Structures are given as C-alpha cells and as structure tokens.
C-alpha cells in the first residue's frame, strides 16, 4: 500500500478516535497546569483570639484529595495534628479539614494534595493563637522542601513508559509497512520489548502513585493498600485503561503474521491511539486551556515522535533491516523510515511549538520557570537530532553504510536522552511554582515610620500588616490607623482596607488586588484628635 494512502487512513482513524474518546474521557474543567493556593482560613500570618475549628484551603482550580494530608506543627517542629482533607461540597477547588482545639501559640500548617494533572503539590503557612509569637520560618521551609525517593522514581517510571510506547508505536508502524513473510528474531524481540516496557512502566506507575502523592518514602512504594484509592483518581483510571489497551496490543502481536489484514491494522492502530490518549489525559494537557486542543496536539506530538524514534531503535538494533533486495537501492526499511521521518519532523516541531505556547501563555517568560529552561535544552537536543537525521539521509543516499550506522546509532542515543528529559518535564509545572511573593517596605514621614508588609504581592487576596513606630524604633502613642488603596492606571479610586489593631501599634487586615500593575497604598495614622499623618507608597503587584 502506498505510504500516502496509509497516512491518510491513519489520520482519518486518528481523528475519529480522538473525537470519540475525548467526548467520553476528557475532564470538563478548564484550568492552568498545577494548582495554586490562593488563600486559606486561617489566613497566612493570621493572629487569632481562639483556636480555629477547621483548616480551609482555596485553590485556583480543582484538586484531588484522595491522598491529601494536612499536618499542624507547633513552634518546636512537632506534629500536633494530622488530618485528611476533603473537598468542599460547593466547589472542588476548596479543601476543608476539621481540627481539634489548639492551645495558644504559633503553628505551621503543612498541606499536600494532588493537582488535576496527577502531580503532588504542597505548601505551608503559619498562624498564631494569642499574643505569644514565635519565629517558625525554618520549620516551615524545611518541611515543604523535603523531597522523598518516589519523586525521582517516578521520573524513571515515566521514562520506561515513554520508551516502551515509542518503541511499540514506531515498531508496529515499521513492521507493518515493510512486510516480510517472517519477522527476524531481533525485530520480534524489539517489538515485544517495547510492549513489555510500556506495560511494566504503566503497572509500576499504578502501584507507586499512591505512595508518591502521599509523600511516603521509597520503601513504602509497594504498599498495595493504596491501590484501590488510586483507581478512583484520573491518573489511576488512565493507567488501568492503558493496561487494557496494551493487553489488546499484546494479543495482536501474538498473531502479527496477520498484520496485513484490515482487522489487525484497525485493532492495532485504534489501540495505539488510545494508549497515546491515556498519556495525554494523565498529564499537563488536561489542565491547559483549551483542553481539547491541548490533548489533540499532545497526541499528535507523541505519535509523530514515535514514528520517528521508534523505527530508528529497531533499525539500529536489527541488522536485517539494513538488507536491500537490490544493490542499487537502499533497504526498504531505510526508505520507509526516511519518508516517514520527513513527514514526522514538521509535525513534531509544529505541535511542540503550539503546545508550549499554550502551556506557557506565550514565550515571553520562558526563562522564568524550570520547565521553560528545561524545554529549551530539549529543543536544542531535538535540533541536534534533526541535524543527525540529515547526515544519515545523505549517507543513505551515498550508500555509505558505515557512516549511516554510526550516525543512526548517535541518533538513538540522543533520542533516549530526549525521552528522559520529556519524563522530567511532565512532572514540572509549566509556569513555575508561584510563591506568595511577600512584600515589605518602610515608609518615612518626619520622625515617624510605618513598616508595611503584604503576605502576597500577586493578584488575589493578601494580608496587610502595618507597624507604626518612631524612626529610632521606639513605639509611640497611636489612637488609630486606617488604610486605602487605588490604581491610577486603571482609574480605580481609593478603596478602604479594613484594619484591626492586633497588638499595640500593630494593625492587620485583608485586601484583594484585582489586577497586576502598580497600586498606591495610603496609610493614615492618627495620633490624637487633631494630629493625622499620611504615609503613601506605590507597590508593584504581579500576576
């Protein structure tokens, strides 16, 4: 069958299956990759008169609490309560956890849930009960930054899975297009090996997901008691679906001598497209707006990479693939691979560029996140791989078998490295972990100063802290303090910031920054009935 006809049939089937399966499986929500904590109750740095009855977390998108956990630590770093959060009945982006009575003191809340794209997210904040304040920043940072063995293990699991899927798709494409009456033992072994890698990686991911999201150490990775809960998550459902599809593909491999029949082709390619769909629905595409476009681009990208790198692995491994029926021509496998790579490379570049644009909201801040910097490294390696492919094409045209084997061998090495980078990119938030970005500034006015602190200098809710003192640091008598803010660039007039005096000369409140840009904060300190001092400062609020 001519290559063009085969490609048209594959694309037609691909479009049909994508539309059908997306309708059934794609999540309804639209979000941005990796959930971000917007605020909490108690609010960060809150000073309370009495113990709260619950911890509430408010995220910017849906989160999964199947393996969620909230720990409360005292000022000595000891865990005083551990509770399991549940999603609020009114919104899946709100998490609540009832807690027991706490004694006066300073506490650190360490929370951990899963983002919709199946990755663990965690963070911390502090609050205080009563007036006895204690510095606990070291405890908070140490707890949140602690890594566990399964973070790296999951990178390996993803690499094994991707390598298996790429080898499987590319191998079936090559062995179906270049048919012989009987497959060589090496080609058969390569195909079975790809299937085994895909199945093993998927099974490992299914078993290790619960301990990974729960933050357990590596020795708990075989805790099968968490498996039933994993199957209730989006990630678990996709792993299970992939295992079923791989079972169908395994049965077809067992009767690969029928690969020329229509039913074998249909079953194999529908199953393989389904496998790529399970990869997309368990990663970043499901939380990238618009979801349907992102999932479709990701699937096309995976299929194109597989039809380029997968056949390359088999051709380098199996010497029989180098044999030509005529000394004046190249081997059929090399001819097919050359034509397919010429089609796949532009698709890879186009889909990869569009997907990165969607995930990063453009390329203006690509260097601001670890994801963006790693993506640049991957792009550079892909450019090298394309250059090596051009060298291989020239060597094939000139019948330079020695140079061809060498360049294709190096291509395989770069392909494996790129797959390894891809497995780490899947676990990274495209826009970086957004920190609270606190702001602190001192405003002078004569012999008086005001220390202004914002727990977050980003769009959204922020807690405001104001301390009034003399320039030498001594406290003065203050009758009251009020605050207001405006945004001249958007013609937003002054609006009040409700403040309460939590300690002598210390005022706190909560406000909402609706837009990014420069805001003007004004603080009026009233010492006596006839003496009021105005403090004014411009603050930069980020997205």
């Amino acid at each position: 069958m001519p290559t063009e006809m085969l490609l048209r049939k594959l694309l037609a089937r691909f479009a049909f299956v994508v539309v059908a399966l997306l309708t059934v499986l794609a999540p309804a929500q639209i979000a941005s990759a990796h959930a971000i904590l917007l605020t909490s109750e108690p609010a960060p740095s809150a000073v309370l008169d009495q113990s709260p009855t619950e911890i509430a977390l408010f995220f910017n998108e849906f989160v999964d609490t199947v393996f969620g956990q909230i720990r409360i630590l005292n000022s000595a770093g000891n865990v005083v309560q551990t509770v399991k959060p549940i999603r609020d009945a009114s919104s899946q982006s709100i998490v609540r956890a009832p807690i027991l009575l706490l004694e006066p003191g300073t506490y650190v809340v360490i929370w951990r849930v899963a983002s919709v794209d199946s990755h663990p997210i965690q963070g911390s904040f502090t609050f205080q009960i009563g007036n006895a304040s204690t510095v606990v920043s070291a405890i908070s940072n140490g707890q949140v930054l602690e890594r566990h063995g399964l973070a790296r293990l999951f990178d390996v699991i993803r690499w094994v899975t991707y390598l298996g899927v790429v080898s499987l798709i590319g191998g079936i494409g090559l062995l179906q297009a270049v048919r012989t009456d009987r497959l060589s033992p090496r080609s058969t072994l390569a195909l079975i090996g790809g299937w085994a890698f895909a199945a093993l990686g998927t099974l490992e991911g299914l078993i290790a997901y619960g301990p990974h999201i729960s933050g357990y150490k590596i020795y708990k990775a075989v805790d099968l008691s968490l498996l039933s809960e994993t199957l209730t998550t989006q990630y678990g459902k996709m792993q299970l679906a992939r295992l079923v599809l791989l079972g169908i593909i395994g049965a077809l491999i067992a009767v690969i001598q029928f690969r020329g029949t229509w039913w074998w082709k249909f079953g194999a390619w529908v199953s393989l497209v389904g496998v790529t769909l399970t990869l997309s629905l368990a990663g970043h595409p499901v939380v990238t707006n618009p979801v349907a476009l992102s999932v479709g681009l990701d699937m096309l990208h995976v299929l194109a990479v597989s039809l380029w790198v997968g056949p390359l692995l088999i051709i380098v491994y199996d010497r029989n693939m180098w044999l030509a029926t005529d000394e004046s021509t190249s081997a059929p496998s090399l001819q097919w691979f050359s034509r397919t790579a010429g089609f796949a490379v532009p698709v890879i570049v186009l889909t990869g560029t569009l997907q990165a644009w969607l995930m990063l909201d453009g390329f203006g801040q690509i260097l601001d996140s670890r994801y963006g910097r790693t993506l640049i490294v991957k792009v550079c390696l892909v450019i090298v791989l394309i250059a090596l492919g051009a060298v291989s094409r020239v060597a094939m045209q000139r019948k330079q078998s020695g140079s061809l084997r060498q360049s294709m061998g190096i291509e395989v090495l770069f392909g494996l490295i790129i797959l390894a980078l891809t497995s780490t990119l899947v676990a990274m938030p495209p826009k970086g972990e957004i920190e609270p970005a606190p702001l602190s500034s001192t405003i002078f006015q004569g012999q008086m100063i005001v220390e202004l602190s914002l727990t977050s200098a980003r769009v959204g809710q922020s807690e405001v802290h104001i301390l009034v003192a003399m320039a030498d640091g001594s406290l003065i008598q203050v009758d009251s303090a009020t605050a207001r803010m405006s945004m001249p660039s958007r013609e937003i007039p002054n609006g009040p910031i409700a403040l309460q005096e939590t300690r002598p000369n210390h005022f706190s409140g909560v406000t909402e920054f609706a837009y990014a840009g420069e805001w003007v904060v004004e603080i009026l300190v009233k010492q006596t009935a006839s003496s009021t001092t105005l403090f004014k400062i411009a603050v930069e609020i980020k997205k």
Side-chain angles (χ1 to χ4, degrees):
M1 180 183 295
T3 303
E4 292 78 11
M5 187 178 297
L6 174 63
L7 291 176
R8 282 198 298 269
K9 284 195 172 186
L10 291 181
L11 287 173
R13 292 175 185 172
F14 171 79
F16 172 79
V17 174
V18 168
V19 173
L21 291 179
L22 279 178
T23 303
V24 177
L25 296 175
Q29 65 270 19
I30 294 177
S32 58
H34 279 24
I36 298 167
L37 181 67
L38 298 176
T39 186
S40 64
E41 293 178 359
S45 304
V47 179
L48 309 177
D49 294 330
Q50 58 186 7
S51 174
T53 58
E54 69 170 8
I55 301 294
L57 307 176
F58 300 83
F59 294 91
N60 68 323
E61 64 180 44
F62 294 178
V63 293
D64 195 337
T65 60
V66 173
F67 299 105
Q69 186 183 80
I70 293 178
R71 290 180 296 156
I72 303 177
L73 285 66
N74 60 19
S75 58
N78 300 319
V79 178
V80 294
Q81 289 189 44
T82 299
V83 290
K84 185 175 180 61
I86 58 174
R87 287 190 294 202
D88 188 86
S90 63
S91 174
Q92 295 186 52
S93 62
I94 301 175
V95 170
R96 299 185 184 276
I99 63 172
L100 301 176
L101 184 69
L102 294 171
E103 298 294 328
T106 303
Y107 295 92
V108 179
V109 176
I110 309 292
W111 56 266
R112 186 180 180 91
V113 294
S115 189
V116 179
D117 58 357
S118 75
H119 300 302
I121 52 173
Q122 60 183 8
S124 71
F125 62 90
T126 64
F127 68 90
Q128 180 181 325
I129 303 173
N131 294 323
S133 177
T134 306
V135 177
V136 292
S137 57
I139 297 173
S140 175
N141 294 336
Q143 289 286 334
V144 172
L145 294 177
E146 180 185 5
R147 290 181 62 84
H148 51 88
L150 296 191
R152 294 303 181 195
L153 175 62
F154 247 76
D155 287 344
V156 176
I157 290 173
R158 280 187 290 266
W159 181 79
V160 170
T161 304
Y162 281 128
L163 179 59
V165 170
V166 165
S167 302
L168 194 58
I169 294 175
I172 286 179
L174 175 65
L175 299 177
Q176 183 181 304
V178 185
R179 294 202 303 271
T180 57
D181 293 337
R182 189 174 179 183
L183 293 179
S184 70
R186 280 184 173 242
S187 290
T188 304
L189 182 61
L191 195 61
I192 294 174
W195 179 89
F197 265 55
L200 179 63
T202 301
L203 185 60
E204 287 177 338
L206 191 62
I207 294 173
Y209 180 74
H212 173 53
I213 298 298
S214 301
Y216 291 157
K217 299 294 184 180
I218 194 168
Y219 58 81
K220 287 192 175 181
V222 294
D223 185 358
L224 298 181
S225 63
L226 301 174
L227 184 57
S228 60
E229 293 183 344
T230 298
L231 293 176
T232 66
T233 66
Q234 171 80 0
Y235 178 87
K237 293 174 183 176
M238 291 303 103
Q239 306 311 296
L240 185 60
R242 191 182 311 137
L243 285 175
V244 172
L245 292 169
L246 288 172
I248 296 173
I249 295 171
L252 291 172
I253 291 176
V255 291
I256 198 170
Q257 65 270 22
F258 296 105
R259 63 189 182 280
T261 62
W262 72 267
W263 59 266
W264 197 98
K265 294 178 185 178
F266 181 81
W269 285 104
V270 167
S271 299
L272 290 173
V273 170
V275 166
T276 64
L277 180 60
T278 63
L279 291 172
S280 299
L281 292 182
H284 290 324
V286 295
V287 287
T288 302
N289 185 20
V291 173
L293 176 61
S294 181
V295 170
L297 288 173
D298 190 67
M299 293 177 66
L300 274 173
H301 190 77
V302 172
L303 287 170
V305 169
S306 300
L307 290 173
W308 181 22
V309 178
L312 186 64
L313 295 171
I314 291 185
I315 290 173
V316 170
Y317 177 67
D318 188 357
R319 295 179 215 167
N320 291 318
M321 290 291 179
W322 297 79
L323 300 179
T325 55
D326 187 337
E327 291 185 0
S328 63
T329 62
S330 300
S333 60
L334 295 178
Q335 294 179 15
W336 181 88
F337 170 70
S338 180
R339 291 192 302 269
T340 304
F343 165 80
V345 169
V347 175
I348 292 170
V349 173
L350 178 61
T351 55
T353 302
L354 290 175
Q355 187 73 304
W357 178 273
L358 292 176
M359 288 186 177
L360 296 169
D361 285 337
F363 299 125
Q365 298 178 326
I366 192 171
L367 295 176
D368 293 346
S369 66
R370 186 175 165 220
Y371 180 93
R373 294 188 293 270
T374 305
L375 182 62
I376 291 175
V377 174
K378 178 184 173 181
V379 169
C380 292
L381 292 176
V382 170
I383 292 173
V384 173
L385 190 58
I386 293 173
L388 287 170
V391 171
S392 298
R393 184 184 290 266
V394 171
M396 185 183 72
Q397 292 172 346
R398 295 179 179 178
K399 307 297 189 296
Q400 297 173 336
S401 59
S403 299
L404 181 58
R405 286 177 181 273
Q406 185 177 15
S407 63
M408 293 186 78
I410 298 175
E411 280 187 73
V412 167
L413 177 61
F414 272 84
L416 294 176
I417 295 173
I418 291 171
L419 287 178
L421 275 178
T422 301
S423 68
T424 60
L425 279 170
V426 171
M428 296 180 191
K431 298 175 186 176
E433 298 289 353
I434 298 182
E435 299 297 333
L439 180 146
S440 181
S441 183
T442 301
I443 315 166
F444 291 85
Q445 189 68 273
Q447 296 300 313
M448 292 176 59
I449 63 171
V450 162
E451 293 184 0
L452 171 67
S453 299
L454 301 177
T455 56
S456 174
R458 296 188 183 275
V459 171
Q461 198 172 72
S462 177
E463 190 173 347
V464 181
H465 292 275
I466 295 172
L467 177 64
V468 183
M470 296 297 293
D472 60 5
S474 61
L475 295 181
I476 60 173
Q477 181 67 35
V478 174
D479 182 60
S480 65
T482 58
R484 61 197 183 196
M485 64 181 190
S486 63
M487 192 177 192
S489 63
R490 288 183 175 265
E491 299 183 353
I492 298 176
N494 272 321
I497 302 175
L499 298 178
Q500 290 185 341
E501 187 172 11
T502 55
R503 293 193 296 273
N505 289 39
H506 185 179
F507 302 85
S508 298
V510 176
T511 190
E512 184 88 16
F513 293 104
Y515 305 100
E518 186 176 87
W519 288 76
V520 176
V521 177
E522 297 180 353
I523 302 162
L524 292 89
V525 177
K526 186 177 181 181
Q527 291 179 264
T528 63
S530 60
S531 175
T532 301
T533 305
L534 173 65
F535 296 82
K536 188 175 182 179
I537 187 173
V539 297
E540 187 68 25
I541 301 300
K542 299 181 180 180
K543 291 183 180 179

